Amino acid sequence: MDTFEQLNDLIGRIYDAGADHVAWQHVLTDICRWTGGEVAQILVLESAAAVPVFNVAVGYDAAAHARYLRDYALEDPRLPAWRRLPPTVHLCHEVVDPAWFDRQDFGAFLDENGCRWTMGAIDPVFDGVAGMSVRRPRRAGPFTPEEGRRFGLLVPHIRRSLALVQRLDGLAARARLAEDVLDRLDRAVVLLAANGRVVHVNAMADRLFEAGRLQLRGNRLDSADPAEAVALRALIAATLDPRPGGGSVKLLSGTAGAPPLIASGCRLPDRRPAAVAAPQAVAALFLTRLGASRDDFGQVLPALFGLSRAEVRLAAALHEGLSLSEIAGQLDVSRETLRTQLRSVFDKTGTRRQGTLIRLLGDLARESRLARRAVL
């Protein structure tokens, strides 16, 4: 006999699947058991898209999926019927005459794949198909109101879990973009966790490791040169210090044949933005070869925080000490536009006040200024 505990467990696993795509197969199998179905599917297909944004099913094979999407998905008479109704669970035989299917090739396809009877919940405003369904063969008979009620208990949780899937996929895409931008910088970037462990390095830092210029010991940044190792540890400790004014700059002279490196660090905001390649990073180290080209805010800010070009321009002007009124006059934009951009900059950098943002920008600019003086 089904119990409240079973329902509660199923709902919990629906939310777990929001962070694990593979788990959806097992969850849909249990949804079938709970609702009396034999086939289940969650489908998000934009009308102009060649492939679904999200498509998970149990009970029939990939070839049947492909054929349904190609030949029937946008012609299924149940879909427009469901779109005219609230996005709750509806039984197919209550919205479309079942005899219609017996006169169509579509009906033979449904019978062939054991999914004649369906109950589904469809997003009525989505341009395409966005919904979930549970199905079973002709021999099992149409779904009952009680089975529809059971499915209806799960639908809101499935929707919230799918929203989590979209959110996590978006974060992953932004993380990949951030990593790609970091890899394009001509300085080494090392992101550190609060305990000092390395959580991400860009391509230039990888080259330093491959050349033996830097080392990882217990996932912590180190150097084969004892004096350089001491300097690195001091820099990391100062950078991780949460007190105002933390961080410093070191000149790493290196061993014979190794070019000097200018190393500096800054803390990242406590509320890390999604664009940071490693969400658990709390600080960044920058290592620049003496005499190498320098990157300005136009590269560092998009890489670490995902700022747009307009947001970088605003941040750089604030760092130079300009007020919003002065920036508006220089850029010929309204103060309201700048306020909107500033709110976005706050959100992406994890800052809440202009003073905190300017201190962060000062930390990021410090090593660039030292590099410029050293080269000159």
Side-chain angles (χ1 to χ4, degrees):
M1 182 176 181
D2 297 314
T3 65
F4 174 78
E5 288 75 16
Q6 289 174 310
L7 174 61
N8 192 50
D9 176 70
L10 180 53
I11 290 173
R13 286 187 291 111
I14 286 172
Y15 284 109
D16 289 342
D20 180 6
H21 287 204
V22 176
W24 278 111
Q25 293 285 336
H26 302 292
V27 169
L28 285 184
T29 298
D30 289 338
I31 288 175
C32 280
R33 293 195 188 103
W34 175 258
T35 59
E38 297 185 19
V39 176
Q41 182 181 34
I42 300 174
L43 174 66
V44 181
L45 174 66
E46 296 177 350
S47 60
V51 296
V53 176
F54 188 86
N55 183 23
V56 180
V58 295
Y60 64 166
D61 60 24
H65 273 170
R67 185 180 171 194
Y68 175 79
L69 294 176
R70 183 184 70 246
D71 299 334
Y72 302 117
L74 298 181
E75 300 177 8
D76 190 335
R78 295 165 297 185
L79 298 180
W82 275 322
R83 284 196 178 96
R84 292 192 294 268
L85 298 168
T88 53
V89 173
H90 301 281
L91 311 183
C92 68
H93 64 277
E94 294 179 346
V95 298
V96 175
D97 180 5
W100 180 88
F101 295 99
D102 291 328
R103 301 190 296 270
Q104 308 294 328
D105 291 340
F106 187 21
F109 168 82
L110 296 176
D111 286 339
E112 177 185 343
N113 291 281
C115 51
R116 165 58 72 96
W117 305 109
T118 304
M119 55 181 174
I122 304 297
D123 184 344
V125 298
F126 187 78
D127 185 16
V129 180
M132 59 208 76
S133 62
V134 176
R135 311 168 194 176
R136 65 188 183 197
R138 179 194 291 266
R139 56 177 167 74
F143 286 98
T144 67
E146 172 58 21
E147 289 166 333
R149 185 191 70 82
R150 283 171 170 257
F151 190 30
L153 293 173
L154 303 177
V155 164
H157 303 288
I158 296 172
R159 292 190 191 282
R160 295 187 191 107
S161 185
L162 288 176
L164 176 61
V165 170
Q166 292 178 314
R167 174 66 173 166
L168 292 177
D169 285 349
L171 293 179
R174 292 178 67 185
R176 288 191 295 271
L177 175 62
E179 291 177 4
D180 180 64
V181 176
L182 286 173
D183 284 342
R184 294 174 185 272
L185 299 181
D186 65 352
R187 68 183 61 177
V189 181
V190 179
L191 301 184
L192 303 173
N195 61 5
R197 292 183 179 274
V198 174
V199 296
H200 181 76
V201 298
N202 71 343
M204 184 62 71
D206 263 336
R207 295 191 188 102
L208 293 177
F209 288 118
E210 291 171 0
R213 186 69 171 83
L214 297 174
Q215 297 179 353
L216 278 179
R217 298 182 188 273
N219 217 29
R220 295 177 186 275
L221 195 61
D222 203 350
S223 172
D225 179 75
E228 188 169 276
V230 171
L232 271 176
R233 286 195 289 270
L235 171 62
I236 291 170
T239 302
L240 293 176
D241 188 341
R243 293 173 297 181
S248 63
V249 180
K250 300 289 183 182
L251 179 63
L252 308 179
S253 57
T255 57
L261 295 176
I262 298 170
S264 72
C266 76
R267 286 187 63 84
L268 299 175
D270 289 337
R271 185 167 62 90
R272 263 80 61 198
V276 174
Q280 69 271 39
V282 302
L285 294 185
F286 301 88
L287 300 104
T288 306
R289 182 171 55 83
L290 196 64
S293 62
R294 282 86 60 197
D295 305 303
D296 58 11
F297 284 153
Q299 292 178 290
V300 175
L301 293 180
L304 286 179
F305 306 113
L307 266 62
S308 68
R309 183 177 301 177
E311 291 164 352
V312 170
R313 191 164 54 236
L314 171 59
L318 290 172
H319 175 255
E320 292 172 1
L322 300 179
S323 67
L324 284 182
S325 296
E326 292 170 329
I327 299 171
Q330 283 192 6
L331 301 180
D332 194 24
V333 297
S334 70
R335 283 173 55 87
E336 187 56 39
T337 296
L338 291 180
R339 289 192 190 98
T340 300
Q341 293 176 0
L342 183 58
R343 285 193 294 270
S344 178
V345 171
F346 285 158
D347 181 62
K348 291 179 179 180
T349 60
T351 55
R352 296 185 179 181
R353 294 180 177 84
Q354 198 164 311
T356 307
L357 172 65
I358 291 173
R359 284 196 297 275
L360 171 65
L361 296 173
D363 287 343
L364 291 171
R366 185 175 56 238
E367 54 89 24
S368 290
R369 291 197 298 270
L370 182 67
R372 190 175 298 112
R373 289 198 299 270
V375 172
L376 296 176

